[in-house]
Amino acid sequence: MSNINLKPHEVGVYAIGGLGEIGKNTYGIEYQDEIVIVDAGIKFPEDDLLGIDYVIPDYSYIVENLNRVKALVITHGHEDHIGGIPFLLKQANIPIYAGPLALALIKGKLEEHGLLRDATLHEINHNTELTFKNLSVTFFRTTHSIPEPLGIVIHTPQGKVVCTGDFKFDWTPVGDPADIHRMAALGESGVLCLLSDSTNAEVPTFTNSEKVVGQSIMKIIEGIDGRIIFASFASNIFRLQQAAEAAVKTGRKIVVFGRSMEKAIVNGVELGYIKVPKGTIIDPNEMKNYHASEILIMCTGSQGESMAALARIANGMHRQVTLQPGDTVIFSSSPIPGNTTSVNKLINTIQEAGVEVIHGKINNIHTSGHGGQQEQKLMLRLMKPKYFMPVHGEYRMQKVHAGLAVDTGVPKENIFIMENGDVLALTKDSARISGKFNAQDVYVDGNRIGEIGAAVLRDRKDLSDDGVVLAVATVDFKSKMILAGPDILSRGFIYMRESGDLIRESQRVLFNAIRVALKNKDASIQTVSGAAVNALRPFLYEKTEREPIIIPMILTPDE
């Protein structure tokens, strides 16, 4: 159970996910019998989480306090802010409030999980106001790499708590401009606590404008004769619009590959973010009717994902399109940490096929959706918070962001670098860490949620490092004799055909260990199995300096 120790007049502020990490952003603000949750994201697993599809937070605190949860409000439609919603709704069906695009993306997810019919969904915009008994929620427009990003203001009896969501300051954005006047007015009227995006806290400068990227894309596409394959994040609809504009201006038709890209284009066109003349987007079957110089392919896979459209095109696995000489592949993204190796591998594969690749910041064809230090300081200056909690970032990023807050005039003792589950208790003139609740990682493996724990992952790691050895023997406990075996089977440990001596020696060690164990009057399958493992493990380590998982299989005649 949770131990958060909030006094009746205190406001509780905490992260269920999103601190000390990039991903699973899920924040809570509560006062007495009301809780507002901001975002519900997922995190993509690091390489060491073998076989894991997604990481989500532990939602126990929300489930335990379900009767107090009034709303889940969404800042924008990226996976690290909405990807956890289906998993959360399976445990706690709470009303969701989101902008039109985020809502369209959420509906798609809920439909896949069979949850759409029972979900309570409300469309909001930057002028919406939600009112509950003690809390109310208002919004302000920011700028990010997806349309309709919102900052969120939770008005409490002790003061305003502001969650920036992901933001940058772009004075020449492709979408609607950020509402700087509203941000300044919030700061002027007093902000009790600011939760601000720390992602690019280590970047000292302003982040490049999306307009600069648009100009670069235009220039690059104008200079290419052959077919163009444009790979980007499906969610970066402004980028897709700029590529589409460049295609129209250079007389190219657009073909779309990749499920998430197809959905993004449909949503973008429906919501008016992607504007192209009728007939610009064509069916893949119509490609053969056009010259290579009249085609621009938009596809997923800019992060090197093996099953995405670009990798399948590059590996010759796509049924509708293959790479051909004269093609140019444009990567309009930069690798997310952890993806650099797979992106480089994909670029090598494409270039080996004799195809030109344009990628990286060198060509100004990508810019981050997150503000650097100058923008983070600007947000702090505009909001002038009494208390500050850096969120959405690894520990070192939170630490740098805390330093920027000190530089902009927030007293050091008013800054809280917290962990998931820590509760910050606030009044208009006090702040303290009041308690903690469980906010561990929960692993999603296929349809299994939370069943895969540390022990299973440790076994998977051991299997991937050293493989597995099966030790099989048939014994008769009555006559105390070994009737068959012991035999050794190996997977991922040694190549058996070339390791005859090691196998014979292992069988001898096993035979002796089992024979000795059988002499004991309390001999059982458990004791004999234990003796087999205890004898074989040090022997194999001494011979190979590796520690495979050893699985003993002790059979009896009646089996």
Side-chain angles (χ1 to χ4, degrees):
M1 285 294 284
S2 316
N3 184 18
I4 67 167
N5 297 322
L6 275 180
K7 292 172 185 160
H9 64 292
E10 288 178 320
V11 173
V13 178
Y14 42 80
I16 296 164
L19 298 184
E21 60 191 355
I22 301 282
K24 43 190 223 347
N25 293 285
T26 313
Y27 306 99
I29 292 90
E30 68 173 74
Y31 182 79
Q32 291 176 4
D33 57 352
E34 294 178 322
I35 299 175
V36 171
I37 306 289
V38 175
D39 290 337
I42 53 169
K43 184 166 76 170
F44 293 103
E46 297 286 336
D47 292 346
D48 58 338
L49 295 178
L50 299 161
I52 299 300
D53 299 321
Y54 309 115
V55 185
I56 57 173
D58 183 336
Y59 295 125
S60 313
Y61 186 78
I62 297 176
V63 174
E64 284 165 20
N65 295 280
L66 189 52
N67 59 328
R68 299 199 291 140
V69 179
K70 299 299 163 198
L72 167 62
V73 288
I74 299 299
T75 57
H76 66 285
H78 277 150
E79 286 294 317
D80 56 337
H81 297 259
I82 65 168
I85 290 176
F87 306 108
L88 173 57
L89 254 55
K90 281 174 188 171
Q91 299 173 53
N93 193 1
I94 54 186
I96 298 170
Y97 297 82
L101 176 60
L103 206 60
L105 295 167
I106 291 165
K107 281 178 180 168
K109 288 182 179 306
L110 296 181
E111 204 164 7
E112 276 177 31
H113 287 260
L115 298 167
L116 188 55
R117 210 184 51 182
D118 299 325
T120 310
L121 304 173
H122 303 275
E123 188 177 299
I124 56 168
N125 61 44
H126 61 288
N127 289 323
T128 303
E129 185 168 346
L130 311 177
T131 312
F132 307 106
K133 190 176 73 185
N134 290 310
L135 301 177
S136 63
V137 186
T138 58
F139 303 87
F140 57 92
R141 249 195 336 241
T142 60
T143 306
H144 187 43
S145 55
I146 188 170
E148 303 159 17
L150 295 168
I152 294 175
V153 189
I154 290 99
H155 302 257
T156 80
Q158 296 291 349
K160 293 190 281 290
V161 177
V162 175
C163 304
T164 64
D166 294 4
F167 75 92
K168 63 194 266 192
F169 283 102
D170 187 340
W171 310 124
T172 55
V174 173
D176 293 326
D179 202 336
I180 294 153
H181 299 93
R182 197 175 285 186
M183 295 181 211
L186 280 168
E188 204 50 46
S189 62
V191 169
L192 177 65
C193 184
L194 175 67
L195 281 61
S196 186
D197 170 14
S198 307
T199 311
N200 276 356
E202 295 168 305
V203 179
T205 53
F206 255 93
T207 299
N208 244 348
S209 169
E210 191 62 46
K211 271 273 161 63
V212 172
V213 176
Q215 289 158 2
S216 301
I217 288 171
M218 188 69 222
K219 212 173 283 166
I220 287 165
I221 287 177
E222 276 176 339
I224 294 171
D225 291 330
R227 194 172 60 169
I228 294 169
I229 300 172
F230 187 87
S232 182
F233 292 114
S235 62
N236 197 338
I237 288 179
F238 296 138
R239 191 72 49 82
L240 305 183
Q241 164 62 16
Q242 298 194 107
E245 270 177 28
V248 171
K249 281 184 186 158
T250 54
R252 290 177 185 267
K253 298 292 182 189
I254 297 168
V255 187
V256 184
F257 291 115
R259 203 162 58 122
S260 57
M261 187 67 84
E262 286 165 16
K263 274 188 196 164
I265 298 285
V266 168
N267 287 330
V269 170
E270 271 178 18
L271 295 167
Y273 289 113
I274 293 176
K275 300 181 188 75
V276 289
K278 211 170 170 28
T280 300
I281 298 170
I282 60 167
D283 197 75
N285 304 327
E286 296 176 55
M287 266 201 301
K288 58 182 180 301
N289 305 333
Y290 296 90
H291 189 265
S293 62
E294 297 174 299
I295 294 290
L296 182 138
I297 293 169
M298 283 187 183
C299 66
T300 52
S302 63
Q303 294 300 302
E305 309 96 309
S306 59
M307 292 312 292
L310 183 57
R312 287 189 290 122
I313 293 168
N315 294 317
M317 308 281 284
H318 202 286
R319 54 195 173 82
Q320 287 165 303
V321 61
T322 52
L323 290 177
Q324 54 195 47
D327 282 353
T328 301
V329 175
I330 298 174
F331 280 79
S332 188
S333 66
S334 60
I336 293 169
N339 289 352
T340 311
T341 309
S342 48
V343 171
N344 289 342
K345 199 169 149 193
L346 181 56
I347 289 171
N348 287 334
T349 305
I350 294 166
Q351 288 186 329
E352 281 163 14
V355 169
E356 188 71 33
V357 174
I358 297 172
H359 66 91
K361 290 175 184 166
I362 312 156
N363 303 290
N364 275 336
I365 48 169
H366 178 61
T367 184
S368 175
H370 302 269
Q373 290 181 2
Q374 302 307 320
E375 287 137 292
Q376 290 170 346
K377 287 190 279 193
L378 178 53
M379 182 63 85
L380 283 155
R381 282 282 188 214
L382 285 168
M383 292 292 172
K384 298 191 291 191
K386 182 160 189 176
Y387 300 106
F388 177 57
M389 178 177 158
V391 298
H392 197 309
E394 293 172 12
Y395 179 79
R396 66 183 195 282
M397 300 163 189
Q398 291 172 266
K399 191 98 176 119
V400 174
H401 204 175
L404 299 178
V406 172
D407 292 346
T408 56
V410 182
K412 199 171 183 182
E413 61 276 14
N414 287 9
I415 298 170
F416 294 87
I417 299 178
M418 311 220 306
E419 292 178 0
N420 293 332
D422 288 347
V423 178
L424 181 60
L426 299 170
T427 69
K428 58 179 180 294
D429 41 33
S430 72
R432 64 190 183 95
I433 306 266
S434 67
K436 195 172 182 67
F437 58 82
N438 186 29
Q440 302 298 312
D441 286 353
V442 170
Y443 302 125
V444 179
D445 181 350
N447 293 322
R448 294 179 300 172
I449 301 167
E451 291 173 33
I452 309 297
V456 174
L457 285 170
R458 198 166 51 244
D459 284 349
R460 287 182 182 180
K461 174 83 172 65
D462 292 346
L463 282 167
S464 74
D465 287 344
D466 293 334
V468 62
V469 167
L470 267 71
V472 188
T474 304
V475 302
D476 183 354
F477 285 97
K478 288 193 189 90
S479 64
K480 307 280 190 187
M481 285 180 67
I482 300 170
L483 303 179
D487 290 316
I488 297 280
L489 296 168
S490 157
R491 285 290 178 273
F493 170 57
I494 51 170
Y495 185 49
M496 292 185 66
R497 280 190 192 162
E498 292 175 2
S499 309
D501 291 349
L502 179 61
I503 289 165
R504 279 188 292 279
E505 283 182 63
S506 301
Q507 286 171 312
R508 204 158 42 244
V509 167
L510 270 176
F511 186 87
N512 290 332
I514 293 170
R515 200 183 54 194
V516 170
L518 278 173
K519 285 179 182 165
N520 194 316
K521 66 177 192 304
D522 298 327
S524 66
I525 287 177
Q526 281 76 22
T527 60
V528 172
S529 297
V533 172
N534 291 341
L536 199 52
R537 182 175 285 128
F539 170 76
L540 291 177
Y541 184 75
E542 185 197 331
K543 294 291 180 190
T544 65
E545 290 194 352
R546 286 164 68 200
E547 294 186 88
I549 289 178
I550 298 168
I551 300 176
M553 293 180 71
I554 305 300
L555 310 172
T556 55
D558 49 337
E559 289 179 315

